[in-house]
Amino acid sequence: MTQRTRTIRNAAIVGVSTALLGITAPVTASATADPAESLTWTACEGGAVDPRQQCATLQVPMDHADPDSPLIDIAVSRIPSENPDARRGALLLIAGGPGGSSLNDPSGKGQKLPQEVQDTHDLIGFAPRGLAPSTSVGCGLEYGDLATSKLRPWPAPDGSVDGNMDTARRTADACARNGGELIRHLSTANEARDIDRIRAALGERKISAWGVSYGTYVGAVYSQLFPHRTDRIVLDSVDNPDPTRVNRAWLAGHEQGVEDTFPHFAAWASKPGNPDRVARRASDVRPMFLRLAARLDHEPIPWPGANPEELNGNVLRQTMLDSFASPSRYPTLAKLMRAARQGTVPPAPAGPPEAMLQNVIGVGSGVLCNDVAWPKPAAVYQKDVTESRAKYPLTAGMPRNAMLCAAWPYPPREAPVRITDRGPSDILLVQNARDVNTPLSGALKMREALGRRAVMVTVDSTGHDAYLANGNACGDRTVSHFLATGERPDADLYCR
């Protein structure tokens, strides 16, 4: 890493271009980049990865609109196809988030891919801009603000958003103070431009991709900005691409995602023989959860070692969201409910290292707040939260509340990318019917936006991440066949 790159987060960039505002065409240096630009592959440092995985570093402009912009590092990884006769190209693995990395995915989830897909593609991972070991950012938040139940904007027990607005101002100020110039250049569109630099450095005319969760939005934006650079694109657990709200729509989606998933949890949590059973009838689980959350709102239980060090109603609600991501996590919520009903708590959950958490939050905050402007007045959020609490009591108004973006000091540098049906028909969507984080209702919005470019596979299953994770054999088989052969179903498909 050059000294120039190491100091980028503290650099004072004068005269930042405003040409990005309102653009409709991609601002990318890929077309004018040195055609000899390539990646130097070496052994990967640290971590338990497949010995076949190789790593490299690619330098990209911090500001793709400024030819003189300082350079930042993007860490890239690969496991090459071991069947040269079958090899078609590169399959980029795009992680969720924002703030997720796919750097070790060629060694991890990539190995779940059928052999025919691994034969036809090099598996490529990367750490997005801002995320270590790429040139990194952080907000330097106070420890209490790192709690998941604080990062999600859960209102006060009485529904007030005043505390959320205070948190938004405090955390946004910390990001502006500690994030350097790079945090202002974190966005989905810039990640897509970085991806095109990766494609060019790999020497690929086109690239395939498997994007998951937020990675589906990245994949859709890339397909919009660089339509003729795409080969086979899989969007798995699909975000709502609403260009007027972007991440506000993703947050709001949790209302319906919880409603879709709760009956499945309730059936599991009331099943005879389940050691974590919380009720005799499925119909009793929902009112029991609501009563318990309300009680904990007013009578929290001390929880030494946790963050915060108490089990309150919002911590219980946040545990619900986390547990609904996969049925395999249901026992975590059930055990917490059983303990709380007895006035006790389980051992405090272990969290990631603080430095890693600060980095992930810095990247997530920058992308969420730079992609689209959020309303500033507290009254907007108070009205929305009040309506949400009445209609969706399980989520208590959180999905329509104010995150730190409500106090973000920087306006977006460009308008959000509008996803359209213009471009090649090479996209396959795969979506579980019950997904707390990216509900089917939002995925259908992406399907509508892509029009003739896409075919959608809806899987009658529960959990986030459908393909090779929480889906079913029909969905997995359909996606694998597409990646291996390029053949999709003739029409949208429902996999029972």
Side-chain angles (χ1 to χ4, degrees), residues 4-299:
R4 183 187 189 200
T5 304
R6 280 194 297 268
T7 59
I8 191 64
R9 64 176 294 179
N10 296 318
I13 309 300
V14 180
V16 175
S17 171
T18 59
L20 288 174
L21 292 173
I23 64 166
T24 56
V27 176
T28 174
S30 295
T32 58
D34 182 352
E37 181 181 19
S38 61
L39 296 166
T40 301
W41 298 103
T42 62
C44 300
E45 296 182 3
V49 298
D50 189 308
R52 297 174 300 163
Q53 182 170 303
Q54 305 165 323
C55 290
T57 300
L58 176 68
Q59 292 196 319
V60 302
M62 183 175 68
D63 183 350
H64 283 277
D66 181 359
D68 298 320
S69 174
L71 300 176
I72 58 173
D73 287 344
I74 302 295
V76 185
S77 63
R78 75 170 180 180
I79 291 182
S81 164
E82 296 181 351
N83 188 343
D85 293 336
R87 184 187 182 279
R88 176 182 177 86
L91 174 64
L92 185 72
L93 309 175
I94 310 177
S101 171
S102 65
L103 194 63
N104 283 338
D105 282 355
S107 296
K109 64 185 291 183
Q111 296 309 301
K112 297 181 180 180
L113 289 162
Q115 191 60 49
E116 59 181 345
V117 178
Q118 296 187 52
D119 286 345
T120 52
H121 293 88
D122 298 344
L123 304 182
I124 308 297
F126 71 107
R129 57 169 55 207
L131 193 68
S134 297
T135 305
S136 62
V137 300
C139 290
L141 300 185
E142 300 173 6
Y143 177 73
D145 288 332
L146 297 175
T148 309
S149 58
K150 199 70 168 286
L151 293 169
R152 295 287 177 91
W154 296 101
D158 65 356
S160 169
V161 306
D162 292 344
N164 303 111
M165 295 301 294
D166 290 341
T167 299
R169 285 186 286 269
R170 182 174 62 254
T171 53
D173 287 348
C175 289
R177 185 170 60 252
N178 300 315
E181 185 65 18
L182 178 54
I183 204 168
R184 302 183 65 180
H185 294 270
L186 302 179
S187 70
T188 303
N190 278 337
E191 183 171 336
R193 293 168 186 132
D194 293 343
I195 287 173
D196 203 54
R197 283 300 193 97
I198 293 172
R199 175 202 58 76
L202 291 170
E204 300 291 339
R205 186 174 65 87
K206 294 185 176 183
I207 196 165
S208 296
W210 171 18
V212 180
S213 192
Y214 165 69
T216 65
Y217 184 61
V218 177
V221 169
Y222 181 81
S223 298
Q224 187 70 35
L225 296 182
F226 303 96
H228 300 295
R229 298 299 190 186
T230 59
D231 189 12
R232 299 168 184 174
I233 306 298
V234 171
L235 307 184
D236 171 6
S237 304
V238 186
D239 271 327
N240 182 343
D242 183 348
T244 65
R245 296 191 298 163
V246 190
N247 44 76
R248 289 186 66 213
W250 308 339
L251 187 66
H254 285 93
E255 292 174 334
Q256 191 59 52
V258 166
E259 292 293 335
D260 292 344
T261 306
F262 202 96
H264 190 265
F265 168 74
W268 172 89
S270 58
K271 188 175 181 179
N274 181 353
D276 297 309
R277 190 182 190 192
V278 301
R280 291 185 177 274
R281 297 179 303 178
S283 59
D284 293 334
V285 179
R286 181 186 180 104
M288 176 188 299
F289 178 88
L290 291 171
R291 287 194 303 270
L292 184 57
R295 192 187 87 193
L296 291 171
D297 280 337
H298 301 286
E299 301 174 9

